[in-house]
Amino acid sequence: MSEKNDRATWIKGGQAQCNVPPVPRDKPPRFVLLGAPGVGKGTQAELLCERLGTCHLSTGDVFRAARCLTPEERSPALDAALDYMQRGDLVPDTTVLDLVRERTRCLRCGGGFLLDGFPRTVAQAEALSNLLEREQIKLTAVLNYDLALDKVVARLSGRRTCPGCKAVFHVTARPPKVAGVCDHCGGSLYQREDDRPEAIRNRMEVYQKSTKPLIDFYQQRGVLVTIEAEGTPEEIYERTLVALNGNATSK
Ligand code: AMP
């Protein structure tokens, strides 16, 4: 992703335009990232976006950005969504799907996309398939990051996020150069509310019940690529490139 791309179209929705849209490609890379929360999808998305020059489309980022709006700027549905999020529960499908449909421009974008955190239920996956079919858009692949549950929990509880540029660090596995400070923009790192212990436990249960069935959903459609998510972000990234055989990821 270009450093100047602020993803405004995705984050703000409505008529917002990206500051610097990604460069259109002949075969835009179009990926969905799957895996339990904390498995490292966000970090892999950052690395892949840098390589592919595409956009990281995270539904979680849209909800987090909505928290900064004034109460008058937030719709009742969005207010309710933020309550679900704070508890670590899934936001209702209808709200998420309205939000994604309102951002169909990002799915059509000639620079491609990397969806992270959406779809998260079979109903969302079916709705996405219908939307893509209508737009005559084909997914390049669905990348499924796989890691044992206890390791996922350890990753989540040490995760720290930059509120400014959204970069993700880990207190031990990927520490910033200066504790608590973002390497990229100097922002003060924080622990997301949903990365606190009670919310983590709840998110894991929600993942097992609602999101794990997506592995079968995409396997049956022949687009699933599973990647072992053990090791450093760089190792996982290398494994991703090998799994994709360089084809979809060449510059
Ligand atoms: P994430 O950053 O993807 O872990 O998302 C953070 C939170 O936002 C989740 O725990 C949910 O509460 C909410 N959320 C994000 N994406 C979705 C989605 N596709 N469906 C339902 N809830 C979502």
Side-chain angles (χ1 to χ4, degrees), residues 43 61 80 114 133 175:
T43 305
D61 281 351
L114 233 154
E133 206 173 302

Side-chain angles (χ1 to χ4, degrees), residues 31-54:
F31 291 100
V32 168
L33 265 57
L34 283 187
V39 80
K41 294 190 303 293
T43 305
Q44 293 307 310
E46 261 181 59
L47 294 169
L48 279 167
C49 281
E50 220 165 276
R51 182 182 177 101
L52 301 170
T54 190

